[in-house]
């Protein structure tokens, strides 16, 4: 029983882990030299309803990656505008921890291996075809999981954004994203809001060394620094570009909001450097990610696969998907939750067993079903969904799913009959 996971972001890591725990031989293929994808520059966990989702996964026996992010958090239980009880993992140290953990669990990780095509027939994938440097490779499997995300490549950032901003995806060095589902002939969905195709990534990072030491000291101590911006320096309308609707609130336009994820995470898609350097304390500011953070950021939510609530891609018998590939779900937590389900269900399919659909009495099951129905049945492609804010967090609260009571969450999972379901054999 061999499961091939393509894309080593948080969703791919979770899928590989979940499948391996069910006893499958798992190969995780990543085109760059590091795992975690956009999670290499993120870091915010457990804010608002993400706390509930993480605890549900822990109660279901699928919480190892949350335990790792907790262990590697620089700050816990912090608040910033619109967000409560957040933790921030150290983006510089997270990847090797996850990489080693997956290896220890028996996952075969193949970095610098870019899938470029598929071998498919009669509604099934037989193999994915890769290039590793000059060498052509072929990976055959029983079931495949597309976790290639939706970000980039440069052509999309050039066409729909402000140009390639040289982000962590490093497309020019490793080659751009390639969608397995699309290569297999699946017609994908594209997020759009008015004239904007896709959406721009919502944050960038400044080198701490380039900031006033007093700002850095405050940031290191508290995790959050909020610097009011004079009206003339506020960039009106920039937040509408963001994929992260949960941060599209006035406080993020009226202030510089910095979070300590190892670097100084600036909660805006981009900010012109010359304007930033006029703000006291930021006179020497320099971007760490993306390198052209003064101009723009990467474009995402292009290329989402139609899928059912078990996360099987429609039209193919043995292809699952997770993370951003599975719809307009933003976030590491969201990627880990969907990745875990996809990895588990890939093994179920390989065993010819019925895949699992999580019930809507759990936030994770409700989110997966809700996003699908919004996109597929309502045709809404302009919104983004996350446990941490905006539309879906409102729904969580309205349906009484949001809670920070760990006991209540465990009882809910137990009542649904899913305690330790992902725990492995
Ligand atoms: C700048 C930024 C900051 C963010 N901050 C946060 C945050 O603080 N908290 C939060 O919860 N969320 C944050 N997010 C959102 C979050 O990172 C994503 O929604 C989530 O991590 C997506 O995970 P994923 O696995 O679906 O996709 P990705 O992270 O995009 O991973 C996809 C992976 O697939 C690989 N890949 C693509 N094509 C191929 C191929 N053909 N062959 C092999 N490999 C391939 C890519 O190299 C990549 O590693 C942030 C996003 C960005 C861009």
């Amino acid at each position: 029983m061999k499961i091939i996971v393509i894309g080593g972001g948080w969703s791919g890591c979770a899928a590989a882990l979940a499948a391996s725990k069910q006893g499958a031989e798992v190969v995780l293929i990543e085109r760059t030299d590091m795992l975690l994808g956009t999670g290499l520059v993120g870091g915010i966990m457990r804010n608002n309803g993400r706390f509930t989702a993480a605890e549900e996964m822990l109660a279901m026996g699928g919480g190892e990656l949350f335990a790792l992010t907790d262990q590697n958090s620089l700050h816990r239980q912090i608040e910033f505008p619109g967000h409560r009880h957040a933790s921030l993992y150290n983006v510089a140290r997270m990847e090797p921890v996850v990489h080693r953990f997956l290896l220890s669990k028996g996952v075969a990780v193949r970095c610098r291996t870019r899938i470029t095509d598929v071998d498919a027939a009669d509604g099934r994938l037989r193999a994915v075809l890769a290039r590793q440097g000059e060498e052509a490779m072929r990976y055959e499997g029983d079931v495949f999981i597309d976790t290639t995300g939706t970000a980039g490549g440069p052509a999309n950032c050039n066409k729909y954004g402000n140009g390639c901003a040289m982000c962590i995806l490093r497309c020019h060095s490793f080659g751009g994203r390639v969608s397995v589902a699309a290569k297999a002939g699946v017609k994908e969905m594209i997020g759009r809001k008015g004239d904007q195709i896709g959406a721009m990534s919502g944050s960038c990072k400044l080198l701490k060394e380039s900031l006033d030491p007093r700002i850095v000291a405050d940031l290191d101590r508290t995790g959050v620094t909020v610097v009011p911006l004079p009206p003339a320096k506020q960039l009106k309308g920039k937040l509408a570009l963001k994929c992260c609707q949960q941060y599209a609130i006035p406080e993020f336009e009226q202030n510089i909001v910095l979070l300590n994820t190892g670097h100084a995470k600036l909660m805006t898609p981009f900010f012109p450097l010359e304007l930033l350097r006029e703000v006291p304390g930021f006179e020497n500011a320099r971007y760490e990610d993306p390198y052209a953070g003064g101009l723009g950021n990467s474009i995402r939510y292009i290329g989402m696969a139609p899928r059912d609530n078990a996360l099987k891609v429609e039209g193919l018998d043995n292809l699952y998907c997770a993370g951003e590939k599975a719809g307009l779900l933003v976030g590491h937590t969201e990627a880990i939750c969907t990745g875990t389900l996809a990895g588990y269900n890939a093994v179920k399919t390989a065993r010819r067993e019925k895949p699992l659909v999580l019930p809507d009495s759990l936030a994770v099951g409700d989110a997966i079903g809700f996003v699908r129905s919004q996109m597929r049945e309502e045709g809404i492609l302009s919104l983004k969904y996350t446990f941490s804010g905006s539309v879906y967090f409102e729904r969580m609260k309205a349906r009484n799913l949001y809670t920070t009571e760990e006991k209540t969450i465990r009882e809910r999972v137990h009542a649904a009959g899913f305690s330790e379901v992902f725990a492995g054999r």
Side-chain angles (χ1 to χ4, degrees):
M1 189 172 42
K2 191 164 183 181
I3 310 294
I4 310 288
V5 184
I6 307 104
W10 273 121
S11 65
C13 292
L17 176 62
S20 177
K21 281 165 64 181
Q22 296 305 316
E25 181 187 348
V26 181
V27 182
L28 173 60
I29 299 172
E30 165 56 39
R31 78 187 164 90
T32 73
D33 54 0
M34 286 188 280
L35 298 175
L36 297 193
T38 54
L40 286 163
V41 290
I44 309 173
M45 304 292 287
R46 289 190 177 265
N47 46 333
N48 295 345
R50 284 178 180 157
F51 184 97
T52 314
E55 289 298 326
E56 282 184 6
M57 295 307 290
L58 281 156
M60 285 191 274
E64 294 91 337
L65 296 179
F66 293 108
L68 290 185
T69 57
D70 285 347
Q71 284 160 24
N72 283 276
S73 286
L74 291 166
H75 303 274
R76 290 161 195 250
Q77 297 284 345
I78 62 164
E79 300 201 2
F80 56 94
H83 294 259
R84 298 182 59 205
H85 49 74
S87 57
L88 304 174
Y89 67 69
N90 184 337
V91 293
R93 290 174 178 254
M94 200 66 240
E95 194 272 345
V97 171
V98 176
H99 203 136
R100 281 194 290 269
F101 180 73
L102 292 181
L103 293 176
S104 78
K105 294 292 168 189
V107 174
V109 179
R110 302 280 177 266
C111 283
R112 299 190 64 172
T113 306
R114 180 170 174 251
I115 299 304
T116 50
D117 212 341
V118 302
D119 176 359
D122 305 324
R124 287 185 71 78
L125 282 184
R126 287 194 292 231
V128 287
L129 312 180
R131 289 215 76 86
Q132 205 177 44
E134 291 304 301
E135 204 182 340
M137 319 274 285
R138 177 184 169 92
Y139 291 91
E140 294 183 358
D142 297 300
V143 184
F144 297 78
I145 307 176
D146 184 348
T147 46
T148 51
T150 62
N156 287 327
C157 297
N158 288 335
K159 194 166 174 190
Y160 307 121
N162 296 353
C164 169
M166 287 167 279
C167 74
I168 191 67
L169 294 170
R170 298 164 293 158
C171 301
H172 295 291
S173 307
F174 295 105
R177 172 181 61 85
V178 176
S179 166
V180 172
K183 283 285 175 191
V186 173
K187 188 170 181 323
E188 294 190 316
M189 294 172 283
I190 299 176
R192 59 167 68 224
K193 193 172 185 182
D195 291 340
Q196 176 67 45
I197 306 281
M200 200 175 272
S201 296
S203 68
C204 38
K205 261 136 254 86
L206 297 167
L207 282 171
K208 278 188 188 168
E209 299 89 314
S210 71
L211 304 179
D212 185 316
R214 282 166 299 185
I215 292 179
V216 178
D218 181 57
L219 193 58
D220 285 346
R221 188 173 52 81
T222 65
V224 188
T225 297
V226 179
V227 181
L229 275 171
K233 295 198 171 41
Q234 295 173 14
L235 300 179
K236 302 285 179 210
K238 189 160 41 104
L239 297 178
L241 289 169
K242 289 184 73 143
C243 61
C244 313
Q245 276 171 217
Q246 70 272 32
Y247 306 125
I249 54 177
E251 285 91 329
F252 291 95
E253 201 160 65
Q254 293 156 1
N255 301 287
I256 291 177
V257 180
L258 296 178
L259 302 180
N260 181 30
T261 57
H263 300 287
K265 182 176 169 94
L266 176 59
M267 298 299 287
T268 178
F270 62 95
F271 201 107
L273 192 58
E274 60 281 10
L275 213 55
L276 187 62
R277 285 184 172 178
E278 288 175 20
V279 180
F282 293 80
E283 293 87 348
N284 304 311
R286 176 176 156 174
Y287 282 97
E288 198 276 332
D289 164 75
Y291 268 118
L295 292 179
N297 216 315
S298 53
I299 292 288
R300 284 148 66 208
Y301 295 96
I302 291 180
M304 293 163 288
R307 48 80 179 170
D308 63 18
N309 288 339
L311 298 177
K312 192 186 77 59
V313 174
E314 291 175 12
L316 287 160
D317 292 343
N318 65 340
L319 180 64
Y320 280 81
C321 66
E324 293 187 2
K325 183 53 78 183
L328 292 156
L329 272 164
V330 190
H332 312 327
T333 302
E334 293 73 359
I336 294 170
C337 294
T338 52
T340 303
L341 181 63
Y344 178 86
N345 278 339
V347 178
K348 285 267 185 195
T349 296
R351 290 202 179 107
R352 300 183 197 287
E353 292 170 10
K354 196 165 171 264
L356 181 70
V357 173
L358 294 173
D360 68 2
S361 58
L362 301 178
V364 176
D366 184 57
I368 290 171
F370 181 66
V371 170
R372 181 184 185 278
S373 73
Q374 291 272 286
M375 292 176 68
R376 299 288 282 151
E377 285 151 33
E378 309 290 332
I380 299 173
L381 294 168
S382 57
L383 298 176
K384 311 290 174 313
Y385 304 87
T386 158
F387 299 112
S388 71
S390 187
V391 194
Y392 187 71
F393 185 44
E394 291 309 315
R395 177 178 163 92
M396 274 182 90
K397 288 189 281 191
R399 295 202 62 233
N400 212 17
L401 289 169
Y402 168 56
T403 173
T404 53
E405 292 286 328
E406 291 162 34
K407 184 166 171 284
T408 307
I409 297 167
R410 278 197 302 275
E411 284 169 359
R412 219 180 257 169
V413 168
H414 180 72
F418 291 116
S419 298
E420 300 297 323
V421 65
F422 298 124
R425 307 192 149 209

